[in-house]
Amino acid sequence: MKKSEIIRSKPSIQLMQERYEYWSRVPYPGLVIDNKPAITQVDIDKVGDYLIYLVRDPLGAYGKDPAERMAERLENAECIGNSGMFLSYTGYYKGAKVTCVSGGSGCPEVELAINDFMEYTNCSTFLRVGTSGGVAEKVKVGDCVITSGVFREDGTSRAYIGDGFPAYCHYEVVTALVQAAEQLGMSYHVGVTACMDSDFVGNGRPSVGGYLQPDNINKLGTYNRAGVLNTDRESSIIMTMCNPFERRGGAVFNVTDNLISGEKFREGAGTETSIDLALEGIAVLHQMDMKKAQAGKENWFPGLEQMN
């Protein structure tokens, strides 16, 4: 049974559908083109257990579409969807079936893709991988940040649930990424990421002509004092959607500049490192998932492998 069907069977969800006067006119589960989800146009039978969302980001200096770049690292990779808006590949990495998806930036665009994958497949894990700006002194350009939770300053996630709802990263995903970072011997940090729609004034960075308002100039200092490590524009909606739709979410970022420390922007700084970390983290998570299945457990915990 698809996880989306389990969600649909909840009495509280059914109540909302009954109260919604236009429900009978909604093309549920969604728009379709050639028997495929219209937005991503993916072959849903070929979607992996683990999904990586990548942004077509010039700051990352991918050199080509980032989904193609990631697919080069996978075994038996094949294109499973190309809608012009989103490009999707599936392949294998150390036994884990991985789908990588590239698209535009910002939570509103990410929501479009993630909705298709959550509605039509049982993909268990959604990982945001890409660039970010550092806002903590200890975060150096080229370092990786493993997100433990997201400060939701975007508008899209508010459409799902109020501001008080925590956008946390699943502990299994965080644990797997930390183990992978240690195994790779890389420089990394674990902590909170702030996510917002505006990459300029909303992120404490000047817009046209140096334009700023009083609230804007407080942003970076507020994040820094609160111990936020970095900022991005996509992680909030992924973490927010994962909880009600019973998925695991996480994020790995490479840092390309840091206004707090004054360390200058370097194109593509840490891009390869974040890709390495994401894939190795998924490999570790895949091993954790197999151990859970063998033990008949729902949750992974230290020492699980020692159980009979």
Side-chain angles (χ1 to χ4, degrees):
M1 179 182 252
K2 284 191 174 65
K3 290 185 178 182
S4 58
E5 295 173 356
I6 296 174
I7 301 300
R8 190 180 185 183
S9 68
K10 289 184 177 182
S12 61
I13 297 294
Q14 293 177 351
L15 176 62
M16 292 299 98
Q17 295 170 359
E18 292 169 3
R19 293 174 59 184
Y20 181 37
E21 60 182 307
Y22 305 114
W23 176 252
S24 63
R25 302 175 187 175
V26 173
Y28 186 84
L31 301 175
V32 173
I33 297 175
D34 295 330
N35 296 317
K36 295 178 180 179
I39 300 299
T40 57
Q41 294 180 37
V42 293
D43 184 337
I44 60 175
D45 294 326
K46 294 184 177 180
V47 174
D49 302 312
Y50 310 90
L51 184 142
I52 295 173
Y53 187 89
L54 303 144
V55 168
R56 298 186 182 112
D57 180 3
L59 306 186
Y62 291 104
K64 59 177 66 177
D65 189 283
E68 294 178 342
R69 177 83 170 271
M70 182 72 78
E72 292 174 352
R73 303 285 300 277
L74 304 177
E75 296 179 0
N76 302 318
E78 64 173 318
C79 181
I80 65 166
N82 187 354
S83 66
M85 192 175 195
F86 299 103
L87 178 64
S88 305
Y89 282 83
T90 289
Y92 289 84
Y93 187 82
K94 296 187 176 180
K97 189 177 182 181
V98 180
T99 293
C100 49
V101 183
S102 63
S105 67
C107 286
E109 181 141 345
V110 176
E111 179 203 21
L112 294 174
I114 297 303
N115 184 82
D116 269 8
F117 288 101
M118 290 189 176
E119 180 65 61
Y120 292 97
T121 82
N122 279 340
C123 180
S124 70
T125 308
F126 292 76
L127 189 64
R128 168 73 183 106
V129 180
T131 66
S132 67
V135 292
E137 289 86 351
K138 65 183 179 180
V139 177
K140 308 301 182 185
V141 170
D143 284 356
C144 280
V145 171
I146 298 170
T147 303
S148 58
V150 182
F151 178 15
R152 297 166 51 214
E153 290 225 278
D154 71 296
T156 310
S157 70
R158 291 189 178 100
Y160 284 82
I161 192 68
D163 289 346
F165 191 86
Y168 62 88
C169 298
H170 198 281
Y171 80 95
E172 291 177 350
V173 179
V174 175
T175 299
L177 290 168
V178 169
Q179 181 174 327
E182 290 290 339
Q183 290 174 180
L184 292 169
M186 60 176 51
S187 178
Y188 73 96
H189 310 273
V190 180
V192 174
T193 296
C195 180
M196 67 289 299
D197 294 324
S198 168
D199 200 39
F200 292 98
V201 293
N203 194 13
R205 295 169 182 257
S207 185
V208 179
Y211 179 91
L212 287 163
Q213 291 285 1
D215 287 347
N216 305 142
I217 65 175
N218 293 324
K219 288 286 186 180
L220 291 175
T222 297
Y223 297 151
N224 177 260
R225 288 187 291 274
V228 172
L229 298 184
N230 64 327
T231 64
D232 89 305
R233 300 183 62 243
E234 294 80 30
S235 60
S236 180
I237 188 61
I238 293 176
M239 305 317 145
T240 300
M241 290 179 71
C242 277
N243 190 72
F245 305 139
E246 300 183 5
R247 319 295 171 121
R248 297 180 300 195
V252 174
F253 295 103
N254 52 295
V255 175
T256 57
D257 75 331
N258 190 325
L259 289 184
I260 296 294
S261 68
E263 196 171 1
K264 303 298 184 183
F265 167 72
R266 293 207 322 265
E267 179 187 11
T271 293
E272 287 297 326
T273 306
S274 64
I275 290 174
D276 289 343
L277 178 52
L279 290 174
E280 288 298 327
I282 285 175
V284 173
L285 187 60
H286 179 55
Q287 292 297 317
M288 292 164 60
D289 288 343
M290 289 195 297
K291 289 173 182 176
K292 285 193 303 182
Q294 291 168 2
K297 297 291 184 179
E298 182 177 354
N299 301 301
W300 179 89
F301 53 90
L304 177 61
E305 56 272 19
Q306 276 80 48
M307 293 186 64
N308 294 323

